[in-house]
Amino acid sequence: MTAPKRDLAQEITARIIAQLEHGVRPWRKPWNAAHCDGRIVLPLRANGVAYRGINVLLLWMTSVANGYGSPFWLTFRQAREHGAHVRKGERGTTVVYYGQQTRTSVGDEGAEEQESFRFLKGYTVFSADQIEGLDDAWHPRPTPPAPVERLDRCETFFAALPADVRHGGGQAYYAIGSDHIQLPPIEAFESVETYYSTRAHETCHWTRHPSRLDRDFGRKRWGDEGYAVEEIVAEIGASYLGAHLDVPDSHIEDHASYIASWLRVLNNDRKAIFAAAARAQEAVDLLHRLAGTTAEPGVEPGVEGDTEPLAA
C-alpha cells in the first residue's frame, strides 16, 4: 500500500497557524539566543551560507521552541561527515526548497511536448545543539557590538536609501500616494532599537510602490485581506532586515486584531505564508541593492547536493 503523499505546504502553514492561535508571531527572532549574547542571526547551513525565505521562519520557530543556541543546521549525513552524530531520540526540522523538472507529453497531433513545472521538496536538518561530537566552532559566542556601532550601522544603511522619510507627529506609516515614510521623532520611541525596527517595517512597505516592486494584494480598506497580507510581508521583511542590521523588531504589539487578520489569510490559503516570505525576501533584497550593501544572498537549499529528500 502506497503511503499518502505529504503536503508540505499544508504542514508548514498549520505550524504557523498554531503559533498565531497562541498569540505568538513565529517570525519574531530569538533575540536572547545563548550563542549570540542578545544579538540576532540568520540560521546557517553547514557551509555557513544563510538560509532564505520560509526556511528562516521554520528554523527560527524551532530555535525558539527548543532553546537552541547554535545558528548552524546540518543534515544527518553532514553530521557524520564531520565526525559527529545526531543524539539518539532527537527530532529533526523539515526545511524546503523548490525544484524544477521537465516532463514529456504527447500533444493532440501526436507530437511530443516538453513541459516544465516546479515542485516543493523537503529534507530534514538538525541544530548543532542536537549533535554530539562537533567542536566549539559550531557554537560561536561572539561579543555583542557596542550600541553606538549598531546604531551607526542602521543610520548608514537607511541614509543610503532614496526614500523620502519625514519625522514628526505620533504615527508611523507609509503613504503610497505621496510616496513617503512618516515616523515620530526618534526621541518619542521607548528605545532606539524600537525606532529602527519601526523604520525597517515602514521601509519594507515603501518597496511596494509601482516604481519599485509594484506589490499589490488587492487592498481596498484598512483591515481587509489585502491589507493583512501586506502587513505580513512587512512584518517578516522587518524581521529579515533586523537580522542583517542586528535590530529587534519590537515595533508592534501582538494585537488581537492583527492576529485575527493574519489567521484569516493563512486559513484561507495554505500557501499564503510561502508567498509572503518570498515577497518579504524580495523586498529586503531590493533594499540591500539600493543601499549598496550585501545581504549574503546564499543559494537555495538543495543546490549544493546536501539534501536528504523525505520519503514519499
Side-chain angles (χ1 to χ4, degrees):
M1 182 178 179
T2 303
K5 186 176 180 180
R6 291 185 66 177
D7 188 336
L8 288 173
Q10 181 59 47
E11 289 181 21
I12 291 168
T13 299
R15 249 187 98 186
I16 292 172
I17 286 174
Q19 294 281 307
L20 288 173
E21 287 177 338
H22 284 85
V24 177
R25 282 181 289 155
W27 43 84
R28 291 295 295 273
K29 298 175 286 298
W31 306 120
N32 296 316
H35 69 277
C36 53
D37 297 327
R39 294 179 62 234
I40 39 82
V41 295
L42 293 168
L44 306 175
R45 299 187 183 85
N47 63 0
V49 174
Y51 282 93
R52 291 165 57 84
I54 192 69
N55 289 325
V56 176
L57 306 189
L58 294 174
L59 297 177
W60 270 343
M61 287 169 61
T62 301
S63 292
V64 171
N66 295 282
Y68 295 149
S70 174
F72 290 101
W73 297 80
L74 299 81
T75 65
F76 188 86
R77 187 182 70 211
Q78 287 171 335
R80 289 189 302 180
E81 290 173 351
H82 286 87
H85 63 275
V86 176
R87 281 196 301 269
K88 186 176 181 180
E90 292 285 354
R91 297 186 63 179
T93 301
T94 299
V95 291
V96 298
Y97 69 98
Y98 279 101
Q100 185 165 318
Q101 287 185 345
T102 301
R103 58 187 169 200
T104 303
S105 60
V106 179
D108 294 338
E109 298 180 1
E112 290 189 350
E113 298 177 352
Q114 298 291 322
E115 178 186 6
S116 296
F117 64 95
R118 300 189 75 193
F119 60 89
L120 187 67
K121 203 164 188 177
Y123 64 99
T124 302
V125 293
F126 297 86
S127 167
D129 289 0
Q130 299 175 279
I131 299 172
E132 294 180 339
L134 294 174
D135 59 35
D136 291 342
W138 297 90
H139 302 276
R141 302 182 66 88
T143 301
V148 173
E149 293 178 355
R150 180 170 64 251
L151 297 176
D152 285 347
R153 181 165 61 252
C154 293
E155 284 294 323
T156 299
F157 177 84
F158 287 116
L161 298 173
D164 178 6
V165 181
R166 307 173 190 177
H167 290 85
Q171 291 184 306
Y173 58 86
Y174 166 64
I176 194 169
S178 55
D179 191 23
H180 84 276
I181 295 170
Q182 186 71 43
L183 294 168
I186 191 169
E187 296 81 7
F189 287 83
E190 63 184 21
S191 68
V192 291
E193 290 83 3
T194 305
Y195 166 77
Y196 287 113
S197 171
T198 303
R199 187 162 180 173
H201 177 96
E202 301 305 337
T203 304
C204 286
H205 279 313
W206 176 81
T207 66
R208 67 183 284 252
H209 192 270
S211 66
R212 289 179 281 278
L213 294 180
D214 195 18
R215 189 173 61 243
D216 184 2
F217 299 108
R219 171 178 171 173
K220 301 298 183 185
R221 65 185 185 280
W222 190 94
D224 65 11
E225 186 166 308
Y227 178 94
V229 175
E230 174 61 26
E231 283 301 313
I232 293 174
V233 170
E235 277 283 281
I236 297 175
S239 290
Y240 291 171
L241 193 57
H244 292 295
L245 296 178
D246 195 15
V247 177
D249 66 332
S250 55
H251 77 285
I252 184 172
E253 297 294 332
D254 292 310
H255 292 307
S257 59
Y258 280 97
I259 296 293
S261 64
W262 293 335
L263 283 172
R264 283 197 301 273
V265 170
L266 299 186
N267 278 310
N268 290 338
D269 182 358
R270 65 190 178 91
K271 292 187 177 181
I273 191 66
F274 289 83
R279 292 297 187 92
Q281 186 73 66
E282 183 181 39
V284 172
D285 288 346
L286 172 63
L287 294 175
H288 278 287
R289 288 197 300 274
L290 292 174
T293 55
T294 301
E296 185 58 49
V299 295
E300 287 303 311
V303 172
E304 304 153 358
D306 62 354
T307 62
E308 295 183 1
L310 299 170

